[in-house]
Amino acid sequence: MNMILPAALSATPNGTTRAQVRIVIVGHVDHGKSTLVGRLLHETGSLPEGKLEMLKAVSARRGMPFEWSFLLDALQTERDQGITIDTTQIRFRTNARDVVLIDAPGHAEFLRNMITGASQADGAVLIIDALEGVRDQTRRHGYLLHLLGIKQVVVVVNKMDRVVFSASRFAEISDEIAAHLSGLGVNPAAIIPISARDGDGVKIHTPRIGWYRGPTVVEALDALEPARPLEALPLRLPVQAIYKFDDRRIVAGRIESGSLAAGDEIVIMPTGKIAKIKSVESWPVTPLLGRQGAGRSVGITLDRELFVERGDVIAHVGQSPSDTRRLRARIFWLHDKPLAAGTTILVRLGTREARAVVVAIDKAVDPGELSSVENSAIGRNHVGEIDISLAQPIAADAYANNPRLGRLVIEVNGRIAGGGLVLSVDAARRAVPVDIVPVESALRPDERSARYRHNGAVVWLTGLPGAGKSTLARALERRLFSRGGSPMLLDGDTLRAGLNGDLGFSPEDRSENIRRIAEVATHLARNGHIAIVAAVSPAREDRAAARRIADTAFREIYVATPAEVCEERDPKGHYAKARAGALKGFTGIGNDYQPPERSELVIDTSTRPLTEATHEIERMLADTGILFDELADLAANI
């Protein structure tokens, strides 16, 4: 048996390559899937030497007739139950193809496993019992193949011996299943009458199906098109982790598609930042020379220092995935509670996870039903199409363009609740146009620090409205400037009047507000300034995202003034308006502010004079390497 290569090709003994197709075989319980697979292994000469004889001997010792399905029984419990409960991959060769056949369960309780198997397939074999005909679960499986984007389907009408190889019975079933699949947009590649037990129609035509003129099962499999090799697709390297060794910053992950090499110009999505690959690292041999292809786990270093985080996707410039906050997906729902519009979910795509809200639900149906009556929610084991609004931009491909970045998993309350395919990506809201090449400053960081006598930093003041953040920020700005520094005040309300004027106060808009502030502040910090941010920023997750953006330049200060003091101050009249119901989405009344669990400094302005509080921030900046020389000495002596 051959090992599977990363792409849709496999090696032959003489070093050439053959097309490889991955095919899932599905059908109702007892319609004969395992028997067909066992027969295919025998007919193509793919059984290990002596295996058939050994199984026949075992059957004889157990006092039971030999069944071709025994070849697939991996566990004794499966034989005892008579139900295949997991997906099993079987490899065999035809004249033209290396076939990886994925046997998926047909029992209703094991649909999750069937989804796992079918999601890997290039094509499918749908098997139907000639006597029982098309069943509800047959239709369900047809819908699930449609759900998973499988367009190449071979239908096999098995157990024709039970209907005396009736051509009229075959035509009846053929017409019914063809109409069902066509209604789903799937045109069967072939519909074949067979007897898997006896071998009719599996590899050869026999007199008992002499009225049938189409391909055998083996011929139909040979005609299926293999998937486009992964290395022929655009580069997709989801970032798994970032490591620091000596002075190297290594971005690590697995190449899901395409290839890369040192010197390639890449773009980091969804931010759109551009760099060149300086080196390709591995272990224990490093650096790696030459191109590295799909399936290879690598680390890369870049020719410039950029902020990269887990979940980002590295692609070649001009061939990047879309960066978006809006997806349309076709999903299969597994959770006990139906999925309805407005539900908050966690979306996992590649190595990225992001909070999201289901904006709309369309085509929510039970795939086992004959009718296509739509529901307003997606029930357990049902399917539907949904529009998803993400709290932050992610990089994604439509499944049709690149399957490796076109599948998603949905979690609810820490449990996997569903999964499916990305149908389309709304790329109208791009984070940063990828055709823009960032221009570096003409001044080096050490030139700026020599003039300002400090390093760049993001000083992030968070706390309830009225806690004193803006007052404290203005005092710190004045103090640093009077000593020759370069502070920049970024007040949350001021930015909402301009840069962030298009944002509201939904959780998604609040997250985007904080992201934009963090990006501006980080840009200032990287150019040697001290960006002083005064923003309520109530969500811990949003502040954590700001810290990830600013990286080592980030300093969080929790202005921990008690809520009753803040409301008593009410400098802008917001508490009074909120109490009167005139100010929606106001943070401060209720439990919607999440205090930092760990910050660089905590200051209560109700017990600390302004001058003393400002001095304490200076000491923290000096102690953490931002202020130095005379500024640090002055701060330390106060």
Side-chain angles (χ1 to χ4, degrees), residues 563-564 567 570 573-583 586 588-590:
E564 59 273 15
E567 185 165 2
D570 201 9
H574 288 164
Y575 283 91
K577 291 179 182 177
R579 293 286 185 192
L583 191 60
F586 175 71
I589 297 176

Side-chain angles (χ1 to χ4, degrees), residues 93 149 157 201 246 288 356 362 401 543 580:
R93 285 186 158 203
V157 181
D246 303 322
L288 293 175
D362 190 21
N401 297 333
R543 297 194 301 269

Side-chain angles (χ1 to χ4, degrees), residues 226-243:
R228 188 180 174 193
L230 291 178
E231 288 193 4
L233 296 172
L235 171 65
R236 297 292 182 264
L237 172 62
V239 175
Q240 293 182 358
I242 295 91
Y243 301 102

